[in-house]
Amino acid sequence: FLPVKEDGSPGTCGYPENPSVIDRKTMFSLLKQLQPTLTEAEFEARFKRLDHDASGVIEFDEFVRWVYDDEVEVVGSAEKVKRTFEELADDMDVDLKLIMYVYDCFKFELGSQVDEYPKTCAAIPKEQACALAGILVKNLTRKKFDRYWEMIDVDQKAAVTFDDFCELLDFEDMPEEILAKYNSED
């Protein structure tokens, strides 16, 4: 899937100085071959997280990290193994303290429901998730939330567990005081 060189020879990856990339369309095509039932919404849910620099392409280092972290699984797959809090923090590129703060907020929204993430997971409905996301993230529009929701709620359960709720958040858009308190290196 690397572009052929001008002389007709196979393409190469010039990592790290000049790494090759896989564009969104090619990546979707590759994954579709591995999982024919993959929907575009399922793919977009993971592509967003894979593309760490939001360049719109998967660079070599992002691809390697994806394979290494076994991120080949997509939303909606059967028997999904829940990521640990540490894995969520790593995947979201935030401090574990911030993930735990968001989890405390999530558990508060659950009220009397019991959640022992990642073992036993309770879910909050869409409207409640939207309200909480709107509190946690600055300038989150309903349109943007709905777009994220469509990518996450591929099984149309109308509710999300904590790990999927994290996928709805743009952590970098959280208020500065929250980031300063929970996402700083000690």
Side-chain angles (χ1 to χ4, degrees), residues 156-174:
Q156 298 183 342
K157 294 180 181 177
V160 290
T161 56
F162 178 67
D163 55 337
D164 287 336
F165 176 74
C166 287
E167 298 282 353
L168 296 168
L169 304 177
D170 286 328
F171 283 88
E172 65 274 5
D173 289 339
M174 294 180 95

Side-chain angles (χ1 to χ4, degrees), residues 11-22:
T12 58
C13 180
Y15 185 81
E17 291 81 22
N18 187 23
S20 292
V21 297
I22 301 174

Side-chain angles (χ1 to χ4, degrees), residues 17-64:
E17 291 81 22
N18 187 23
S20 292
V21 297
I22 301 174
D23 63 36
R24 183 180 251 105
K25 182 179 177 182
T26 303
M27 187 72 160
F28 181 66
S29 175
L30 283 169
L31 291 178
K32 194 78 167 156
Q33 290 176 30
L34 295 172
Q35 187 178 4
T37 59
L38 178 70
T39 67
E40 196 163 338
E42 290 170 326
F43 169 73
E44 288 296 330
R46 290 300 180 233
F47 191 90
K48 176 186 167 205
R49 197 172 76 227
L50 292 175
D51 187 14
H52 292 283
D53 62 359
S55 64
V57 295
I58 301 299
E59 295 158 355
F60 180 75
D61 57 332
E62 293 169 327
F63 183 79
V64 168

Side-chain angles (χ1 to χ4, degrees), residues 58-74:
I58 301 299
E59 295 158 355
F60 180 75
D61 57 332
E62 293 169 327
F63 183 79
V64 168
R65 180 176 178 191
W66 180 50
V67 172
Y68 177 77
D69 290 344
D70 195 24
E71 285 296 321
V72 178
E73 179 193 1
V74 295

